[in-house]
Amino acid sequence: MEEIIQEDKHLLLYLNGLGSQTFDGFWITVSTVAIWIPFYIILAYLLYKNYRLSSFVFILIFIALGLTVSDQLANIFKHGIERFRPCHDPAIEAVIRKVKCGGRFGFYSGHASNTFFIASFLSFVLGRKIRILPYVLFFWAALVSYSRIYLGVHFPMDILMGAMMGFLLGGFFSTLARNVIAKQNRNSQNQSL
């Protein structure tokens, strides 16, 4: 395990070291949640356009529940495992490019978990209707996740674990949402008969 942790640190130092002050502002912006609000509005519109109002509401509820679980699980892991963020790790804090720094602990990345949750959830509920959407969503999730390495606030393993957790949670909550919508549609059809 120690060898994996050391390789994770080496990979972080390599990727983080590729950055330059010229691009720091761009990656800080990519990592900021508020900048993506127009993107979220577009995604909400796509949901609204492709589902009836009642189904749309259920989907939004499941997204809110899933994001809450995703975010809180990341916090539980951070405080349970207590792995230092790269910018707080005594072994590398003197050599890392510190563009930004967060709380003391970083395993695993909430940004990666949340963005991969949204990407997988929406890919499962909209991917058949809008075929290009999963590619756009996973590119976006990877971009946001990489920004966390660039800024020096997460190790690659933090990102990998966050992405995996987000993907699994997205699959789980999208399955629940689709089951509720299917049941709702069956009930509507039965009532109309």
Side-chain angles (χ1 to χ4, degrees):
M1 185 64 169
E2 186 60 35
E3 187 176 313
I4 293 172
I5 290 172
Q6 290 307 314
E7 287 302 316
D8 196 26
K9 289 181 182 184
H10 290 301
L11 182 57
L12 168 85
L13 290 173
Y14 172 74
L15 293 173
N16 175 261
L18 293 175
S20 72
Q21 283 186 324
T22 307
F23 297 105
D24 289 353
F26 170 78
W27 289 105
I28 289 170
T29 302
V30 166
S31 195
T32 305
V33 174
I35 194 70
W36 296 107
I37 290 173
F39 183 63
Y40 299 144
I41 291 170
I42 292 167
L43 294 175
Y45 172 75
L46 292 174
L47 283 169
Y48 178 76
K49 185 179 169 192
N50 284 280
Y51 285 93
R52 294 184 342 214
L53 182 59
S54 57
S55 299
F56 171 72
V57 170
F58 277 117
I59 289 171
L60 291 183
I61 289 169
F62 279 104
I63 289 172
L65 287 172
L67 279 173
T68 301
V69 170
S70 172
D71 200 55
Q72 293 309 306
L73 271 178
N75 286 331
I76 289 168
F77 270 79
K78 284 175 188 172
H79 295 289
I81 293 179
E82 296 187 341
R83 181 183 187 195
F84 287 119
R85 287 182 186 269
C87 53
H88 292 297
D89 189 327
I92 63 170
E93 68 181 341
V95 293
I96 190 173
R97 282 188 75 246
K98 291 182 190 175
V99 180
K100 192 175 177 185
C101 197
R104 291 181 66 202
F105 306 120
F107 185 82
Y108 57 88
S109 169
H111 276 71
S113 182
N114 293 341
T115 55
F116 274 89
F117 166 81
I118 292 169
S120 63
F121 184 98
L122 292 178
S123 291
F124 289 126
V125 299
L126 282 175
R128 289 185 181 162
K129 297 175 186 224
I130 307 168
R131 296 205 186 275
I132 194 170
L133 188 63
Y135 299 103
V136 171
L137 290 169
F138 283 105
F139 175 78
W140 162 72
L143 187 73
V144 171
S145 296
Y146 176 76
S147 75
R148 309 304 286 167
I149 294 170
Y150 180 97
L151 298 175
V153 294
H154 282 294
F155 289 102
M157 289 296 290
D158 302 344
I159 299 301
L160 188 61
M161 180 66 171
M164 185 178 69
M165 290 297 287
F167 182 81
L168 293 174
L169 289 169
F172 175 74
F173 278 95
S174 66
T175 301
L176 292 177
R178 287 183 306 189
N179 287 341
V180 167
I181 291 168
K183 185 175 182 181
Q184 178 191 30
N185 289 341
R186 282 193 303 272
N187 289 342
S188 295
Q189 288 172 353
N190 290 341
Q191 288 175 356
S192 64
L193 294 176

